[in-house]
Amino acid sequence: MHTIIFYIIIGLLVVGLFSVIIAAYNRLVMLKNNVNKAFFNIDVLLKQRADEIPDLIKVVKESMHYEETMLTRLTQLRTDFLNSADREDRLKLSNEMERMVKSIFAVSENYPDLKANSNFSLLQQRVSGIEDAIADRREFYNESVNMYNIGIAEFPPLILAKLLGYQEKQLLQISASEKKYDGVQF
């Protein structure tokens, strides 16, 4: 009788252990996939913004003739962004494009005809809307990375995470210049 109880207890412990391992593994997979999904959601908006840039450049070029260097650089950044497959490079290029677009908006203050151009105003509103959406998705991405980092650091999933090679992911950092931005002023 004692032997049967002993085997039942051992059996329950084994089932319990497998349940914990399976639950930990499933949670790690879910957290990793959430981080990837959050990044790709940002990437969609970054590409959308990159796709809007040719229209913005076209409108600005028609109104200004001598900011060619800025516009050429922005075009090159866009091309590099679209050709890059590396996540870090895409984020860096996107941040630089964002700064350039803000510069174009700032330069537009010197061109009353450009500010009055309805196409420019529409593009400016569109780009500003995309910037807001990117900010929202950055927040979601950072929250997903935070949950993932906590998930791989908790015990007992920590053991499984180490065995599977899960490593801590970096949060998206906002540069000091981005924190100072007050929006486009007219």
Side-chain angles (χ1 to χ4, degrees):
M1 182 68 175
H2 288 16
T3 307
I4 293 174
I5 292 174
F6 175 75
Y7 285 123
I8 289 174
I9 290 173
I10 294 296
L12 289 174
L13 288 175
V14 169
V15 169
L17 180 64
F18 277 119
S19 295
V20 168
I21 291 171
I22 289 170
Y25 177 78
N26 288 339
R27 185 164 189 270
L28 290 173
V29 168
M30 184 263 311
L31 291 171
K32 184 178 180 181
N33 287 336
N34 273 350
V35 169
N36 290 336
K37 180 181 87 175
F39 175 77
F40 289 123
N41 284 341
I42 291 173
D43 207 38
V44 166
L45 285 177
L46 296 177
K47 183 173 183 325
Q48 191 176 2
R49 180 175 61 188
D51 290 344
E52 300 274 333
I53 286 174
D55 292 336
L56 182 64
I57 290 172
K58 185 178 175 184
V59 171
V60 173
K61 268 187 175 177
E62 289 178 6
S63 302
M64 314 184 309
H65 295 293
Y66 73 88
E67 297 292 343
E68 289 292 325
T69 304
M70 181 185 305
L71 297 176
T72 302
R73 177 71 183 134
L74 185 57
T75 301
Q76 183 60 48
L77 287 171
R78 178 185 178 270
T79 302
D80 292 345
F81 174 83
L82 293 175
N83 291 331
S84 176
D86 181 67
R87 181 183 292 190
E88 293 297 320
D89 284 345
R90 288 179 72 90
L91 291 174
K92 286 179 186 173
L93 291 167
S94 174
N95 287 338
E96 196 167 341
M97 279 192 304
E98 183 179 345
R99 282 191 293 276
M100 294 294 293
V101 168
K102 288 175 184 173
S103 296
I104 288 173
F105 288 159
V107 167
S108 72
E109 292 181 33
N110 297 330
Y111 299 89
D113 290 342
L114 179 60
K115 285 194 316 189
N117 184 320
S118 62
N119 287 337
F120 182 77
S121 295
L122 287 174
L123 282 169
Q124 186 180 29
Q125 290 171 4
R126 176 99 175 120
V127 171
S128 294
I130 291 172
E131 296 297 328
D132 290 343
I134 289 171
D136 288 342
R137 290 192 183 172
R138 273 185 177 165
E139 183 179 337
F140 179 72
Y141 176 79
N142 282 341
E143 181 61 28
S144 297
V145 168
N146 186 46
M147 294 300 295
Y148 170 84
N149 288 340
I150 290 170
I152 65 170
E154 290 178 333
F155 185 80
L158 167 72
I159 298 167
L160 192 57
K162 293 244 185 235
L163 289 173
L164 296 173
Y166 282 51
Q167 295 182 353
E168 188 171 311
K169 296 188 181 289
Q170 296 296 313
L171 297 172
L172 289 178
Q173 303 287 324
I174 304 298
S175 68
S177 64
E178 288 178 289
K179 292 176 185 172
K180 290 180 184 175
Y181 181 63
D182 297 328
V184 179
Q185 305 292 326
F186 286 104

